[in-house]
Amino acid sequence: MMYSLGIDVGTSALKAALFDETGTALSSSAKEYELLCPCGGYAEQRPEDWWLACCSAIKTVLKHAEVRPEQIAAVGLSGQMHGLVMLDKNGAVLRNSILWCDLRTQPQCEEIERTVGKERLVEITANRAAAAFTAAKLLWVRSNEEHIYDKCSHIMLPKDYIRYRLTGEIATDVSDAGGTQLLDVEKRTWSGEVADKLHIDKSLLPKVYESVEISGLVSRTASEATGLSIGTIVVAGGGDNACSAIGTGVCSDGKAFTTIGTSGVVFVHTSKMLRDKEGRMHTFCAAVPNEWHVMGVTQAAGLSLKWFCENFCEGEKARAASLGEDIYALTDALAAASPIGARGVLYLPYLNGERTPHFDTAVRGAFLNIGADTERGDFIRAVMEGVAFSLRDCIEVLRASGADIRDMAVCGGGAKSALWRQIIASNYKCPLKRTTSSEGGALGAAILALVGAGAYKNVAEGCESCIRVKDETKPLCADEYEPYYAKYTAGYKRVK
């Protein structure tokens, strides 16, 4: 039996989990760290906090697993995409990492599209310039912190900093590199044209691997810090969504998944390169070698419900605390008592702007059609339906681009809600499947690690061995949502 360790560098916590060849989790541990918001719209983290969390999580996993370190064949890496990590010539971190959810770089996005040309940018990088992407962050540092930029010798993504600390290797994988806005996504290599036009020295960029390739070996120093064996294989891994796809079995044409996390993602695997000329969706390299995925993104999915509950559900919070229940079980019950259409209330989930289909960082959310008879449950159901409508918008754009969607999985914290799954399935007009594992990106990273170590001949074989379906939510009353979806799609112009 071969074992692999999956490490997922999330926005709120780092998770490490140990798996066997069947995808069974033997031990896992999550360690939280601080999100730094020095001013409005900024979001940063200290890379050293990720490393300390990584060391602690791995030690905890090894302590509770009946597996010796030398039995672990390989380590796989997953993590939040787009974050900028800058190192000097000695490998020291120069500043806090600027994260995916940081919004400060809109002027740099405009500069990128003006300099490269919007159409040419989409031709090469398959995406419009976005505040989330790494290139805009690098240009912001160059414009605002020149003394730091001048000292920079290497840039990398969050999970790749963990690779660097584990192995000493400066590297990334194609899926994460695609989110930098500096990769030729079709050719799966850094774009000299984009780098030259933006005056970015290509020597700053890490070596790029396919996700299943071996990118380094655990060093003596890392072994002492983590408890892993010296020389343990570390494969390239992937960005969080690319690894979550593998962790839910989405690795071939026709397969897709929806994530209801802080943000919402509709992810579709494709063996051929697809682009949307208007830039309403994202195209990145898949964790499957020489294949791709397309994504639509709702900026505030689970965030919308969390925001509402934190600000307007004091009674439910107190009741949940007194009963020892989950507040979302109580809010689900309130929403379930509201009919389809939430008595006419519409919610537009643009708390942080929007990405698909409206590429607009400035638009903000709204409740529409509130009446004297509107109750708390109507607001909650409207939030759930508004997020579902936004995710449906993503589906429509992806299908229009040629994406093949026949099999839809669902994951993320919001997927725990049977009501929310039902609303989304009904709007998609297709069943939603949940898998037995809740490890997501960590499992995907571990499967990629086992492929790299030779346990499976390819990713598809790994997924077949490790992924099992837990349950399925079928669509109900799908036609009843149509008039409300039509009103929702008109809502963007009303608030813009």
Side-chain angles (χ1 to χ4, degrees):
M1 178 68 73
M2 294 178 70
Y3 303 94
S4 66
L5 182 71
I7 298 172
D8 184 17
V9 186
T11 307
S12 59
L14 180 143
K15 187 171 194 176
L18 184 66
F19 300 89
D20 65 18
E21 288 180 39
T22 69
T24 301
L26 307 178
S27 177
S28 67
S29 176
K31 305 295 181 181
E32 295 183 352
Y33 30 70
E34 188 178 8
L35 177 65
L36 307 172
C37 302
C39 61
Y42 284 30
E44 300 182 353
Q45 281 174 338
R46 291 178 287 261
E48 184 66 16
D49 289 351
W50 303 332
W51 176 241
L52 293 174
C54 180
C55 294
S56 178
I58 292 174
K59 287 178 179 177
T60 301
V61 166
L62 293 177
K63 179 180 178 181
H64 292 98
E66 296 181 2
V67 174
R68 299 186 306 276
E70 59 269 24
Q71 292 179 281
I72 299 174
V75 176
L77 301 171
S78 171
Q80 52 173 304
M81 295 179 68
H82 314 305
L84 173 66
V85 180
M86 304 178 74
L87 306 183
D88 67 13
K89 63 182 180 180
N90 298 315
V93 175
L94 286 167
R95 72 173 325 280
N96 292 338
S97 174
I98 305 176
L99 303 189
W100 64 274
C101 48
D102 190 286
L103 300 175
R104 77 184 76 175
T105 60
Q106 190 56 38
Q108 284 70 38
C109 293
E110 295 167 5
E111 176 188 348
I112 290 170
E113 293 201 341
R114 186 170 59 249
T115 303
V116 180
K118 185 168 72 174
E119 290 185 3
R120 183 59 179 155
L121 187 70
V122 173
E123 285 178 9
I124 298 171
T125 72
N127 297 279
R128 284 194 61 184
F133 292 170
T134 316
K137 296 171 171 55
L138 187 60
L139 297 191
W140 184 92
V141 174
R142 187 170 70 189
S143 296
N144 295 275
E145 298 174 348
E146 187 176 0
H147 63 291
I148 290 177
Y149 187 89
D150 288 344
K151 295 178 183 177
C152 184
S153 292
H154 307 284
I155 68 169
M156 58 184 63
L157 288 306
K159 79 170 192 322
D160 301 321
Y161 182 72
I162 299 300
R163 182 197 326 280
Y164 173 66
R165 295 298 296 266
L166 285 172
T167 69
E169 300 292 336
I170 295 174
T172 190
D173 79 288
V174 289
S175 71
D176 225 355
T180 64
Q181 198 97 67
L182 295 167
L183 192 80
D184 185 321
V185 172
E186 186 167 12
K187 296 178 180 177
R188 306 170 87 85
T189 187
W190 296 120
S191 169
E193 179 180 340
V194 173
D196 289 346
K197 286 182 176 179
L198 298 179
H199 304 293
I200 294 172
D201 189 340
K202 282 184 70 179
S203 68
L204 296 176
L205 306 176
K207 183 176 180 180
V208 182
Y209 289 91
E210 289 290 342
S211 294
V212 298
E213 291 184 310
I214 298 171
S215 62
L217 306 175
V218 172
S219 68
R220 179 177 298 276
T221 301
S223 173
E224 293 172 354
T226 63
L228 293 171
S229 291
I230 298 171
T232 302
I233 290 169
V234 178
V235 303
D240 52 3
N241 285 303
C243 283
S244 292
I246 305 305
T248 51
V250 178
C251 61
S252 60
D253 285 345
K255 292 193 173 185
F257 77 85
T258 295
T259 300
I260 317 168
T262 301
S263 61
V265 171
V266 180
F267 177 114
V268 185
H269 184 94
T270 174
S271 59
K272 61 182 179 180
M273 178 76 181
L274 299 175
R275 293 182 186 84
D276 178 66
K277 292 182 179 180
E278 298 177 42
R280 296 172 298 169
M281 68 180 193
H282 299 308
T283 301
F284 298 129
C285 301
V288 178
N290 301 311
E291 300 197 5
W292 293 266
H293 66 258
V294 290
M295 289 169 46
V297 179
T298 294
Q299 288 283 84
L303 175 63
S304 288
L305 186 59
K306 181 180 179 183
W307 164 80
F308 187 86
C309 291
E310 287 182 347
N311 288 282
F312 306 108
C313 294
E314 287 298 326
E316 286 72 23
K317 284 195 286 186
R319 185 181 170 206
S322 67
L323 296 176
E325 292 187 18
D326 183 352
I327 183 175
Y328 296 110
L330 301 183
T331 55
D332 262 21
L334 288 173
S338 178
I340 291 174
R343 293 192 178 90
V345 179
L346 287 171
Y347 172 68
L348 307 180
Y350 307 142
L351 300 183
N352 287 339
E354 195 52 294
R355 281 160 76 177
T356 307
H358 311 297
F359 201 83
D360 188 344
T361 59
V363 70
R364 288 296 178 264
F367 284 102
L368 306 178
N369 303 329
I370 300 167
D373 62 340
T374 301
E375 299 176 355
R376 194 187 313 273
D378 301 325
F379 282 111
I380 298 168
R381 184 172 189 114
V383 168
M384 290 179 159
E385 291 184 348
V387 170
F389 293 152
S390 180
L391 293 168
R392 179 173 170 180
D393 272 349
C394 295
I395 289 275
E396 299 298 336
V397 170
L398 295 170
R399 281 180 169 150
S401 75
D404 179 14
I405 304 172
R406 287 174 278 129
D407 188 303
M408 181 67 71
V410 63
C411 58
K416 296 177 183 177
S417 166
L419 175 62
W420 215 346
R421 296 198 308 272
Q422 185 66 70
I423 292 170
I424 293 171
S426 298
N427 273 279
Y428 286 6
K429 298 182 179 179
C430 75
L432 298 182
K433 297 177 180 178
R434 285 196 300 170
T435 59
T436 54
S437 175
S438 60
E439 302 296 347
L443 174 57
I447 292 172
L448 295 173
L450 286 169
V451 175
Y456 312 118
K457 63 183 179 182
N458 53 40
V459 176
E461 184 178 270
C463 288
E464 186 176 349
S465 298
C466 296
I467 308 302
R468 291 168 286 279
V469 174
K470 175 183 180 180
D471 57 33
E472 182 177 278
T473 303
K474 296 183 183 298
L476 295 174
C477 309
D479 292 342
E480 292 185 36
Y481 286 95
E482 292 305 306
Y484 302 107
Y485 176 64
K487 291 178 181 178
Y488 169 86
T489 57
Y492 172 73
K493 292 182 179 179
R494 294 170 66 182
V495 299
K496 179 174 171 59

